Amino acid sequence: MATSIEHKMVYRLAEGSAGMVSLLGSKGAHASEMARIGIPVPPGFVITTEACLEYFKVGRRLPEGLWDTIVSNVHLLEEETGRKFGDSHNPLVVSVRSGSAVSMPGMMDTILNMGVTDLTVGGVTNMMNDERPAMDAYRRLVQGFGSVVLGIEKDKFETRLEMAKTSRGLTYDYELTPAALRELVTEFRNVIKDATGSDIADDPWVLLRQAVEAVFDSWNNPRAITYREFAGISHDLGTGCVIMAMVFGNLGSDSGTGVMFTRSPATGEKTLYGEFLTNAQGEDVVAGVRTPQRIRTLETEAPGLYKQIEEMARTLEAHYGDVQDIEFTVERGKLYILQTRTAKRTAPAAVRIAVDFVEEGVLSKEDALGRIPASDITQVLMPRFDGDAKALATQTALLAVGVGGSPGAASGVVVLDPDRAVERAEAGDSVILVRHETSPDDVHGIIKAQGVLTSRGGMTSHAAVVTRGLGKPCVVGCEELHVDMVARTATARGVTVAEGDLISIDGGTGEVFVGELATVEPNADDLHELNVLLSWADEVRKLQVWANADTPQDAQRAHQNGAEGIGLCRTEHMFFAADRLPHIQALLEVGPQASKVIRETDELAKALELAPASERESLIRRVKEAREKVESSKEVLAFHTELAELEKFQTADFYGILKAMEGKPVVVRLLDAPLHEFLPHYEDLIREEEQLFAAQRASNGSQASFGAVLPRPEQRDAQGFLLTPRDAQPHDAETAGERGESVPMSEAAVEHHRLLELVKALRETNPMLGHRGCRVGLTMPEIYEMQVRAIVTAACRLTEEGTKINPEIMIPIVSHVNELKWLRPRLRAVAKETRERLGVEVTYKFGTMIEVPRAALTAGEIAENTEFFSFGSNDLTQMTFGYSRDDAETKFLNHYVETEILPWNPFDSIDFTGVGRLMRIAVEEGRRVNPELPIGICGEHGGEPYSIAFCHEIGLNYVSASPYRVPVARLAAAQSALGHLKSNI
Amino acid sequence: MATSIEHKMVYRLAEGSAGMVSLLGSKGAHASEMARIGIPVPPGFVITTEACLEYFKVGRRLPEGLWDTIVSNVHLLEEETGRKFGDSHNPLVVSVRSGSAVSMPGMMDTILNMGVTDLTVGGVTNMMNDERPAMDAYRRLVQGFGSVVLGIEKDKFETRLEMAKTSRGLTYDYELTPAALRELVTEFRNVIKDATGSDIADDPWVLLRQAVEAVFDSWNNPRAITYREFAGISHDLGTGCVIMAMVFGNLGSDSGTGVMFTRSPATGEKTLYGEFLTNAQGEDVVAGVRTPQRIRTLETEAPGLYKQIEEMARTLEAHYGDVQDIEFTVERGKLYILQTRTAKRTAPAAVRIAVDFVEEGVLSKEDALGRIPASDITQVLMPRFDGDAKALATQTALLAVGVGGSPGAASGVVVLDPDRAVERAEAGDSVILVRHETSPDDVHGIIKAQGVLTSRGGMTSHAAVVTRGLGKPCVVGCEELHVDMVARTATARGVTVAEGDLISIDGGTGEVFVGELATVEPNADDLHELNVLLSWADEVRKLQVWANADTPQDAQRAHQNGAEGIGLCRTEHMFFAADRLPHIQALLEVGPQASKVIRETDELAKALELAPASERESLIRRVKEAREKVESSKEVLAFHTELAELEKFQTADFYGILKAMEGKPVVVRLLDAPLHEFLPHYEDLIREEEQLFAAQRASNGSQASFGAVLPRPEQRDAQGFLLTPRDAQPHDAETAGERGESVPMSEAAVEHHRLLELVKALRETNPMLGHRGCRVGLTMPEIYEMQVRAIVTAACRLTEEGTKINPEIMIPIVSHVNELKWLRPRLRAVAKETRERLGVEVTYKFGTMIEVPRAALTAGEIAENTEFFSFGSNDLTQMTFGYSRDDAETKFLNHYVETEILPWNPFDSIDFTGVGRLMRIAVEEGRRVNPELPIGICGEHGGEPYSIAFCHEIGLNYVSASPYRVPVARLAAAQSALGHLKSNI
């Protein structure tokens, strides 16, 4: 391709810089940057990501001219090192590494020891003054080339390596003699010959070219594609290819290799944090094959080297203004930095580092606020194991102790392979993935697991890195744990847990327990840095952050986490408690009928007011009759009794919540749930009825049927919803007909049947679109009136007690302004009456959920009839997309997200285009009517950063999140205000 | 009130005109108009509707100055007639009638014979030359005043009237002697005294004032309010009050009273149509108490009078340019026109009259098109009884024959009172309301009934008038039918039907049959005038009218009714036939799993294309393995077998429909329904399972449980949806645990359990918002591909046969443009492949339903990926309001409409404000992208006139209605284009 010649496809390290990440890849750019500022980097050059993309564009061929450029750059390297590529006496050995603009740890290919061949291995021996490492390098090259470049299963090499050791009674690779290694090389070459039909090439230039192609190809290998899809990385970046002279950490005890963070990636502590492995190549550390020593141990063992490493670390950290993740090698006492990059860290570490950087003067507060992905700080607030439970477990259930690889506490069933982990997790289980060590092939299992436990590897092992990125607990290097993949068990200290057994892991301490442990929230000490950071966030954010809380305990937690109000207090949850449910069930049994009778009497009385003389006489009589009927109705009596009971409970509930919030606004949402949710499951009742019937029949041993003997329903008005003849008869008749039997039913069966009929009457085909929220408020207004009385009563009591309160009452599922026009005056009157009766001055607002598309579309007229808006973005998303949240994810939505039909799950983050458009309409048109209209959001999106950014952009007053997401929301709101965070529009 | 004086509150007849309807009421304005143009109207004056409104405004008192004005106008009347109000020798007798701007037949009050008192009855006798009618007038006054003005139950008077006759062995009122009538007057006055505590006033002026107040009051009597709410009439109009000198039709055989239409209100035939009752007052006709003679009989009996009447009729018809409904009285040979108004008519009559008026040169085509409410013409197309069924029924089941009061055929259960009619109708029954005669108190029952049958009354009786307005069949004057309100039966010709028995009525012929009769569609002859009118409509309308049709028969009917295309051919209905359902069920059992395996294999093959050398070897092997697995999978095999079976059925279906439409566009909607709809009901399966279990246990007589013995599910991939262990185990285990039993299950039980598990897997909490439409098309694309192959195959065959075809393929439930981006190319490829395989050139379009709010909100990007839009306004309404159509109406929506929370049911007529806003957005933004984008509507609103007007206004290309609504839509579209019809915005 002619165009490819126009681009510079290869950069020597000193030619590049940190700013060239997209062209050189992160690894290449940072190696260049280091070379530029005088850090000791092995000499080398970088092939650009553009060259990689061009490679794919022209059909997986090296672009024209590239190979020649590579060859001439290798020649420059020869000049620089004084060695010669393929020379039998003084050979140049190089590494060929992948590296894209965005870190994809372990996903792409790297080939080391390029240049070691049959011909040059003697020269390498000379260079190293030792035959063993030279032969080992050759062994590694053949193994790596075979598996990485030629795609031969790793096991074929590993098995032979293991056999080589066991047959000789050895434990470690480095115990293998040069002769044994040479035998292995021969075996490996045979493996390659068997698999590919030809021997590995002898010409190192041929191998080098294949290696470069393999690096490029690895950009599109399936696991890299999967990872990018999971991590949301573009497929259009390509990978750079870094070719560097090799330095050797395996030349004896004065050599070694290490990986380190300039501060602790777990806690943020300002201390070098990482591992060092003497007499080893870098891949030994990353793969976690041997457990390395802590880098801090070098401080005493090799203080000079340690000092050199620490100086280098601080220089790099200062240069980049962020914590670095550094790979280095010591070759016979000389330090080489192989790679540096911004370190991944746990959220607690990120918070501490950001705060420390501000205190050290490295960052401004504003920049520091931009450093932490807002969602990550939930990790700081993550539960840990309850102290007592853990103390006990430590005595009785401690299975093993490893290294804390990623903080947090998790319990789940032991699962030994990633596929099964996915399976169990999708079936609803909490899973702890237990492995010898993890590799990129395990990522799908790690994603689905609650936590990971490995018997090998350290802080920088694959498992630790990946889980920290995902914010999941991980214990690594738990060497005392014997994982038996055949028996499918894990054993330590004489205790064996089988796959499927429950264990608990503490990713902070590395402890592993048998069974499930109770967890607790972090304490104030843990939260110190976070609170500093959040106080800065509070200074800059424009959005208020409120919380959703249904209980005084939730309100308390919300308050502690900095919530400035309760944006959603759901009242239905209050009815589910064991002492309340019977009352709401009793209420539902009589309510519709009672409410109807009361309403009809009221309507009659109203008609009387308007009636002409000629009608008055008969109307007066009818009103009187209706009133007597109401007064003598046992439904009405029961209705009022249950309402009164529930009012007592509700008053206590609201008292507690209003009190906990100490004068901050508390938005109480009136009953929203579909009514059938308070009743037993229909299916269960049907099964029970059939079972009761069978039992009855068995005990009677004769002709039997339900229909024939069930009591006829009480005589009722046409709309009486209980046992209408029409509902009750056909099924029974049918059943009776089919069976041709008849039996007297027990009282229990009759009662059961009544309940079943009640459930049947309240069931709906699409409850989400059903008789709920203000629709119940209009058809059975007594419930909302009871709730308003309870709220105002609680408010009055607190006011009398001198506690400040600020209640707001919210009407859900409004779709038409007339619903408000009918309800609001009625509820205001109840509030006024209650306040006056109690003789206490309290203020309250009446507001409206905007959660039905039509409400958003008619927000102008709704704004004229309400005192605030609050977006119910869950329902708004359900109705705008036509997705039932209960089922959509497993039925099709997960598939949509996986296949990128949808860019993300709109229940996680607001769909800015569709749902967001409705929200914009509602804000614009609501504020046009009332420029001061307070508008918030109380759906689950209120705690999600991109959604918060969107809410900031469209000018909401507040977001309301679950209490534990309040800190996230505070940070995200600040980031939005500072422009660090933007919604995706 | 000072302001009231400023208005002229009383108009003499000659001062008013037809243009003053809102001020004088319809009755007053038309009486004025008649007086103005020289029609013989009794002298009189009108109190304005403004005076009535003022009356209510000041607290139900006559506005200041009104009484004085009335008195002076009565004096003017005295001058005009030469009689004196309250005079004992030559008394003036007047009528006091209500009358608002909009006709509310029989809803408000009228008092006749005002001025007849103890003092004046002798004078009246002199004037009449007969004591009987004078005394009868007095009797009527007392009776009317008592019941209408004083609100005493009518029965109290009627019973005494009946007793007076029966005790004397008389049949008719007019047989009562003056003495008997005087006795009755005394009795009636006693009734009044008993009820009110005081005697009726002797002073006629006092009575007059009370009568005026009663007329005003009657504007707000409950039944008037109910009627206005039902009829959508404003409550702010008020009634006028017409006071006229009485003329008497009961002065002997040369007197009489009549009601007539200038053309037949049933058929439109140009002939006087009505009833005349000799020696009777007008109220006798309206109330239907005696069955009058047909007016045409006067042509021979009193040719002079008839000629006079006919001339008057034609004069009035010509003057008003419309058919008139005239009340007249003949007093000793002299004709007086009491009232004229535009006649209500049946739809067939309206059509014929409109066409005739155009042919007679009275109306332009454009005006004629505006004369008929579009919805009414469905009546022209109303089914009638099947000829054979009716012939047979006439032989065997004819119960009685009355007068055809309102055309059409209906069957239903006999119900004898309106309350019970409402009850039964709301319980879902078809009801025929059977009454002696109906009154305004029965209207709520008439509204809910399918038809009405009365034993008394004629064409102009209450029942006939109201049912014609409602477009329901009615048989009146069925005198041979004996209705027994105590036994609750109706008997004729020796046959008795009880309440709840089925009968059928023919409102055209007046026949009544026992049992339910089959119905047929009207034939071409019936439709002649309608077709003329619709051909005019077709000339002016802008909207095309298409039809919804799922079968060739429907398509045929649509075509006959003038549909220009099929806007919605639902394919799911095709699967419900007995020969297809097993295939779709079998398909659903294997489809998800099979489709997943196929998809994964495809993905693997795609990965192979992109894979680097190092991965190819293992990928090639995996693809090969996967392919083998697919080929050997029994699910995949079954899936393809069932798809092939269904494709055969579908091809035949589409062949038929495309052929029937002869080249007109046919929009086939791909599968839309939630999948579980094709399976048995979950509840039934649960019951059956429990029953099977009980049976099994009984036959074993031992320890038994399902869980213990059900086959373990086949081993499957994690996502295999059939019997996952998790689904199957817990319930069974629980059941087993509770019962502590175990039994081997029959094969039937095992098979049943499999089906239950399948249903369980496919069930959804909110199916309306679930896995349906294109969501299935994306997760199981083989079904849509099969459908597209079937459509294109049918198209190709027809093209080969030389038949013109025009298929369009529509994708439902689109909410995100990416669904189309994924599906459309895939389906186009299938279409292309099919076309090429068959070697036939056919064209087809791919379009999109706009039925999810998000689709409307993102119509711009969707328009870039589709060839047409079609609004699915049912679903769009469901989701925009958050109303589940399945339940909303009974749960709360009917209540909303009744209490005017909603101005109308948005499933009947588009909600212009909310749903309509989304439609506007979609049209504007879709056309911005593609100005030529064809846009239609295929929801049920497509056949509703106001919705059609809205569609015209926002610029749609077509509406698609059910075949029988096509004529309505053609007319409504024309009315919209002409400005006769506007949506309510």
Side-chain angles (χ1 to χ4, degrees), chain B residues 111 198 238 357 362 451 478 684 733 740 819 825 903 947-948 954 958 968:
Chain B
I111 306 101
S198 59
F357 274 167
V362 177
C478 187
D684 296 343
E819 294 172 317
S947 305
I948 292 168
I954 65 173
Y958 67 86
V968 173

Side-chain angles (χ1 to χ4, degrees), chain B residues 743-761:
Chain B
V743 103
M745 291 306 300
S746 66
E747 254 184 60
V750 171
E751 192 47 47
H752 185 277
H753 188 75
R754 278 180 71 91
L755 186 58
L756 176 59
E757 292 298 325
L758 173 62
V759 170
K760 209 188 265 182

